[in-house]
Amino acid sequence: MASDEELSDDEDVEAWLNPLKLPTKEQLMCKSTGKQLLFLLQLYAPLDDDHPNQTTAFHRAILLFVTPKGSAVCKPGGVRALRCQLPRRNALYPYHAPGDTDLLPPAVQLVVEAEERDSPEAEAAMSKLMMAYKDKVGQEGELSEEELPEEVLQQVEEAVPLEQRHFAMFQARMALAPDQVVRYCFQPGAHPLWPRPEPQPSTADIPACPLCGEPRQFEFQVLPQLLNHLGQDDLDEDALDWGTLAVYSCSASCSTEALEAQTGSAYAEEFVWAQPSA
Ligand SMILES: [Zn+2]
């Protein structure tokens, strides 16, 4: 299905954490169109020191691939996430690396800092924003429902349609870090910020890890701001577009050895929920 114009397996990705056991052709195919996926981004995301599998995932990367066809982005399999990890002692990288982030060339790495959950600064900034939004109720209806005092929430609910409230909340959170393209929080109980109330996955929509059976948990979301960095033609009707791409990965970050033995790929597929922008 791949034509000459399309990108070859490795043309787009300059560094694979495990270059010896690359993803299979099927793993890099859009399930909706059958076309070869394009590399979107790679996160170097080692586990926290206190994670039980930290030793087997000392090096860890999540790669995100996206369909070349804009209209297929939010269809199942239009965006696919692959997880690759290595123990600290491995054949590819020195035990004492000069620095974890030096492993991958800057062009493809995106090292993210986990967003502080419940940080007092963020909450203070948030409530300031919310109070500012509150003043706009009558005028523009730009309000958020998250982290608002009960009484304000009630006013908002009376004044603003649900869809607008969600989007305004999303915008307000994003206003705290306008250059942010990825929101990362691989913690139990963390959840994505949705620009729109629907469609969101229920717990049942997020399949457990097929390798180990453990539930998947939210790890990060790609924000629509990234679209501005892709150099797309604004007039292209089939340009890539999304509201957000939420990536859920195996909570155990389990070993990929069985997969490697079976398929030759050291890249375990994780789950992506793509919410359209409109
Ligand atoms: Zn697993």
Side-chain angles (χ1 to χ4, degrees), residues 4-64:
D4 289 345
E5 288 93 41
E6 287 167 20
L7 295 155
S8 71
D9 281 13
D10 53 7
E11 196 173 286
D12 222 15
V13 182
E14 292 170 40
W16 297 94
L17 184 59
N18 187 336
L20 303 178
K21 295 173 178 170
L22 294 176
T24 64
K25 208 166 184 161
E26 191 285 325
Q27 286 183 307
L28 297 176
M29 196 180 82
C30 169
K31 289 187 193 171
S32 168
T33 64
K35 290 181 183 292
Q36 187 170 352
L37 297 172
L38 307 173
F39 170 69
L40 183 63
L41 62 83
Q42 172 164 214
L43 292 190
Y44 183 73
L47 298 175
D48 285 345
D49 289 344
D50 58 357
H51 192 286
N53 287 342
Q54 200 265 346
T55 50
T56 55
F58 183 79
H59 300 291
R60 183 173 175 279
I62 306 272
L63 294 86
L64 215 51

Side-chain angles (χ1 to χ4, degrees), residues 79-218:
V79 184
R80 297 175 76 174
L82 299 178
R83 167 173 60 89
C84 182
Q85 58 194 41
L86 292 165
R88 182 163 189 181
R89 202 168 290 286
N90 67 78
L92 296 167
Y93 302 100
Y95 188 82
H96 292 290
D100 295 339
T101 58
D102 296 338
L103 287 173
L104 306 167
V108 293
Q109 76 171 351
L110 198 53
V111 177
V112 289
E113 288 182 22
E115 181 171 300
E116 288 276 319
R117 295 182 68 209
D118 307 314
S119 102
E121 294 79 18
E123 292 213 337
M126 222 17 223
S127 46
K128 241 187 215 171
L129 268 170
M130 287 308 104
M131 295 320 281
Y133 277 117
K134 186 190 167 192
D135 295 333
K136 293 187 181 174
V137 173
Q139 305 155 25
E140 297 164 46
E142 285 185 0
L143 269 164
S144 163
E145 63 179 353
E146 203 170 84
E147 298 171 27
L148 280 175
E150 191 66 32
E151 70 201 71
V152 180
L153 186 59
Q154 207 174 344
Q155 287 177 24
V156 176
E157 279 176 0
E158 286 162 10
V160 186
L162 182 66
E163 179 97 4
Q164 280 183 33
R165 263 187 275 139
H166 262 267
F167 189 65
M169 184 274 285
F170 182 78
Q171 295 290 73
R173 288 296 291 265
M174 293 308 110
L176 296 173
D179 298 330
Q180 197 177 18
V181 294
V182 167
R183 230 189 116 239
Y184 188 90
C185 195
F186 194 39
Q187 303 284 336
H191 55 83
L193 291 172
W194 299 104
R196 302 166 61 209
E198 294 288 336
Q200 290 182 23
S202 69
T203 313
D205 288 323
I206 301 163
C209 172
L211 300 179
C212 73
E214 289 297 317
R216 287 196 175 102
Q217 76 184 34
F218 171 64

